[in-house]
């Protein structure tokens, strides 16, 4: 779905308008219908009183629980929505997707801004479909700096919104403010799932060793980890300053100053480069054992997400994926065992192989430990190879959102019969990742 996105003025609703705060609209009813019967007026008054009571109750709840939050409401206009042509109606699914997308965009804007430590969450209070576009009333919640209890500053919020919405889809943004009190009762749950795992182009993979060249923007989370500007390993972008990779990449050198990251589908020229600030190898990675082959790389400056650079989603620790699921591996690694690394990113479709199958004696037997899994084909051919290490093995859900399941770790030779690739299992290390990065 391609749409342009801008923030417009949040109108206070009187008789003729229909955007803005739900509360305003209720209040506006009395003004609009002058010839209401007395009992109706009574009912409406009772209703309004009820709303006020609920609002006060919620306010009291938030104040009592000591949760100091500031909320701002803005109306966002999303233009150029593709409407289902025959009916002209947007299905409720489309609207739900739109709402989700909007909320994620707001998340992304603030998480990637100077207010990221204060931003808590956003919530759509109203979505109004119109011809060709839609208006979304979104309430954003911030935690103000605690010490002096200063306010976050609407100016700062708006200047960030203005700047970002303009660069998002190049439409002029005009933001104004309606501050709201305890609008959303769910504001206490502080789960922010930022925009992740989406890519700007559709999947056209027909099917690394024996893979295909990747299209621009197809795998925007892929990075190349380089030492003295020479590609060593792959890695995956999981946040605007975090990459996850394999610990064995740093076996001989874990000095962050000697490492750089590059983004984009070619190593030369790179789309963008970053310096490595910190390398966190798993504490229990002790070579030559291959267990716990996972590391985190913090880089700077932060990246701004775009069509070509985007973070992937991390699965929940409890997520599981059935054997034979189609998954994709990508990398700049060799096309055959002992071959050279590649300048252009390649992709291959492989399948998850169950532990039962992979632990058979003629496959890898007891070399497969907890926190590892196999993927590929027992017949061979499609596989990762040297230089793909640390890179992603990803899966797509039914909503075309991509998740990181595996990290290229090891394998006997490349693409050989009964010797599929072995990957670090991301769900197994999900809490470790969260403990180090907060993601
Ligand atoms: N350890 C290798 C590297 O350093 C990656 C091995 C993956 N091998 C395989 N057959 N899947 O790049």
């Amino acid at each position: 779905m391609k749409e342009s996105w801008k923030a417009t003025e949040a109108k206070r609703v009187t008789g003729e308008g229909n955007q803005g705060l739900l509360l305003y609209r209720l209040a506006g009813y009395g003004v609009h219908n002058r010839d209401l019967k007395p009992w109706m007026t009574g009912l409406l008054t009772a209703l309004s009183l009820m709303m006020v009571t609920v609002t006060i109750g919620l306010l009291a709840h938030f104040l009592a629980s000591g949760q100091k939050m500031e909320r701002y409401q803005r109306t966002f206009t999303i233009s150029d929505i593709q409407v289902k042509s025959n009916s002209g109606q947007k299905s409720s699914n489309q609207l739900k997707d739109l709402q989700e997308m909007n909320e994620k965009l707001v998340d992304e804007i603030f998480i990637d801004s100077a207010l990221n430590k204060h931003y808590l969450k956003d919530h759509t209070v109203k979505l109004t479909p119109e011809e060709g576009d839609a208006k979304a009333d979104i309430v954003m919640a911030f935690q103000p700096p605690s010490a002096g209890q200063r306010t976050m500053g609407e100016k700062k919020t708006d200047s960030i919104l203005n700047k970002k919405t303009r660069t998002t889809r190049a439409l002029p943004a005009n933001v104004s403010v309606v501050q709201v009190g305890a609008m959303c009762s769910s504001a206490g749950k502080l789960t922010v799932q930022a925009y992740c795992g989406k890519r700007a182009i559709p999947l056209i993979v027909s099917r690394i060793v024996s893979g295909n060249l990747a299209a621009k923007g197809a795998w925007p989370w892929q990075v190349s980890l380089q030492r003295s500007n020479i590609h060593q390993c792959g890695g995956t972008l999981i946040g605007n300053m975090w990459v996850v990779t394999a610990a064995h990449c740093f076996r001989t050198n874990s000095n962050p100053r000697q490492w750089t990251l590059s983004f984009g589908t070619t190593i030369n020229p790179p789309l963008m480069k970053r310096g490595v600030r910190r390398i966190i190898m798993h504490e229990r990675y002790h070579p030559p054992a291959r267990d716990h082959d996972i590391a985190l790389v913090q880089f700077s400056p932060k990246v701004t997400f775009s069509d070509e650079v985007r973070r992937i989603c991390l699965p929940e620790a409890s997520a599981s994926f059935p054997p034979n699921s189609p998954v994709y591996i990508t990398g700049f690694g060799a096309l055959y065992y002992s071959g050279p690394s590649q300048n252009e990113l390649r992709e291959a479709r492989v399948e998850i192989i169950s532990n039962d199958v992979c632990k058979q004696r003629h496959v890898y037997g007891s070399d497969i430990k907890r926190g590892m899994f196999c993927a590929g084909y027992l017949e061979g051919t499609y596989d990762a190879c040297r230089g793909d290490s640390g890179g992603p093995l990803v899966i797509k859900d039914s909503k075309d959102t991509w998740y990181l399941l595996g990290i290229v770790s090891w394998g006997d030779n490349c693409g050989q019969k009964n010797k599929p690739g072995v990957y670090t299992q991301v769900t197994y290390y999900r809490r470790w990742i969260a403990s180090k990065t907060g993601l």
Side-chain angles (χ1 to χ4, degrees):
M1 192 173 16
K2 225 186 168 181
E3 75 287 320
S4 50
W5 198 65
K6 63 170 176 173
T8 58
E9 196 166 352
K11 286 188 195 146
R12 286 159 207 258
V13 176
T14 53
E16 67 284 334
N18 69 343
Q19 301 138 17
L21 226 48
L22 287 171
L23 283 175
Y24 280 105
R25 186 154 71 153
L26 274 174
Y29 260 81
V31 182
H32 197 44
N33 305 304
R34 283 203 188 88
D35 48 4
L36 282 182
K37 297 207 171 64
W39 68 267
M40 277 178 106
T41 322
L43 189 68
L44 281 173
T45 318
L47 265 174
S48 312
L49 267 173
M50 252 169 69
M51 290 290 292
V52 171
T53 318
V54 168
T55 309
I56 290 172
L58 283 172
L59 249 179
H61 168 77
F62 281 117
L63 290 178
S65 61
Q67 210 152 26
K68 300 252 168 12
M69 265 187 218
E70 287 182 27
R71 298 184 186 75
Y72 304 115
Q73 188 210 355
R74 300 291 182 279
T75 302
F76 295 89
T77 302
I78 315 116
S79 315
D80 303 337
I81 299 163
Q82 281 159 16
V83 178
K84 271 192 187 147
S85 53
N86 46 357
S87 64
Q89 287 287 315
K90 296 176 192 72
S91 71
S92 59
N93 265 350
Q94 265 181 302
L95 284 178
K96 220 175 147 269
D97 285 352
L98 208 62
Q99 172 178 338
E100 221 167 76
M101 195 157 179
N102 252 296
E103 289 175 355
K104 282 180 173 176
L105 275 165
V106 174
D107 280 342
E108 193 176 283
I109 284 175
F110 285 105
I111 284 167
D112 198 21
S113 80
L115 288 185
N116 87 334
K117 285 215 184 79
H118 301 287
Y119 176 73
L120 295 174
K121 62 173 287 170
D122 68 327
H123 178 69
T124 307
V125 287
K126 190 169 169 233
L127 197 67
T128 321
E130 294 178 347
E131 200 143 307
D133 62 19
K135 290 204 162 41
D137 290 327
I138 294 185
V139 172
M140 294 156 287
F142 294 87
Q143 187 114 56
S146 53
Q149 301 305 332
R150 286 179 292 119
T151 64
M152 283 304 309
E154 297 179 3
K155 276 222 185 90
K156 211 165 175 188
T157 315
D158 284 340
S159 95
I160 287 170
L161 273 178
N162 261 321
K163 224 187 305 157
K164 295 287 179 70
T165 50
R166 239 183 251 135
T167 51
T168 302
R169 287 293 175 203
L171 273 173
N174 168 20
V175 189
S176 89
V177 190
V178 177
Q179 195 163 358
V180 287
M183 267 304 300
C184 27
S185 53
S186 61
K189 292 189 202 118
L190 310 180
T191 48
V192 175
Q193 168 74 66
Y195 199 41
C196 65
K198 286 285 183 189
R199 64 182 194 184
I201 69 156
L203 177 66
I204 346 172
V205 188
S206 49
R207 339 139 260 140
I208 314 186
V209 174
S210 212
N212 295 329
L213 282 178
K216 218 169 127 185
W219 314 101
W221 36 80
Q222 173 83 47
V223 307
S224 154
L225 272 164
Q226 305 174 2
R227 204 173 67 218
S228 315
N229 289 318
I230 296 168
H231 171 86
Q232 304 286 339
C233 270
T236 311
L237 189 66
I238 56 168
N240 61 9
M241 53 171 174
W242 288 103
V243 159
V244 65
T245 183
H248 81 253
C249 297
F250 306 112
R251 226 181 120 161
T252 55
N253 187 327
S254 60
N255 177 356
R257 265 174 285 196
Q258 310 203 340
W259 290 85
T260 50
L261 290 177
S262 97
F263 295 83
T265 40
T266 56
I267 288 182
N268 256 312
L271 177 69
M272 195 162 75
K273 292 198 96 168
R274 287 293 184 265
V276 169
R277 291 287 158 263
R278 194 147 64 111
I279 295 170
I280 306 171
M281 292 163 77
H282 197 285
E283 298 78 1
R284 289 162 68 194
Y285 173 71
H286 298 304
R290 293 140 157 177
D291 312 57
H292 314 298
D293 192 8
I294 184 169
L296 289 159
V297 174
Q298 189 176 30
F299 61 83
S300 78
K302 289 177 184 173
V303 290
T304 302
F305 298 135
S306 66
D307 284 354
E308 286 175 72
V309 175
R310 197 162 287 181
R311 74 178 196 117
I312 196 153
C313 303
L314 291 169
E316 299 277 323
S318 59
S320 65
F321 302 89
N324 306 323
S325 300
V327 290
Y328 295 85
I329 50 176
T330 50
F332 297 98
L335 302 184
Y336 53 91
Y337 190 61
S338 80
S341 286
Q342 299 295 299
N343 189 48
E344 282 156 330
L345 183 64
R346 290 185 166 258
E347 63 195 17
R349 177 193 183 278
V350 292
E351 289 177 7
I352 294 179
I353 296 171
S354 75
N355 269 352
D356 288 350
V357 170
C358 209
K359 283 182 171 172
Q360 294 177 100
R361 231 167 347 115
H362 64 285
V363 188
Y364 285 126
S366 56
D367 289 347
I368 303 300
K369 304 281 174 26
R370 278 159 70 92
M372 298 178 188
F373 71 96
C374 304
Y377 303 93
L378 291 187
E379 313 81 87
T381 310
Y382 298 99
D383 194 7
C385 202
R386 220 179 131 203
D388 291 321
S389 271
L393 177 148
V394 297
I395 194 163
K396 181 169 71 109
D397 74 1
S398 59
K399 289 164 107 187
D400 284 351
T401 302
W402 293 83
Y403 290 84
L404 181 68
L405 287 197
I407 299 165
V408 177
S409 179
W410 61 274
D412 248 15
N413 205 307
C414 303
Q416 297 297 297
K417 192 164 174 263
N418 290 327
K419 301 294 167 195
V422 185
Y423 298 79
T424 306
Q425 186 191 333
V426 172
T427 51
Y428 189 79
Y429 295 99
R430 183 66 186 88
R431 289 184 200 97
W432 180 79
I433 295 172
S435 74
K436 305 288 174 189
T437 64
L439 293 167

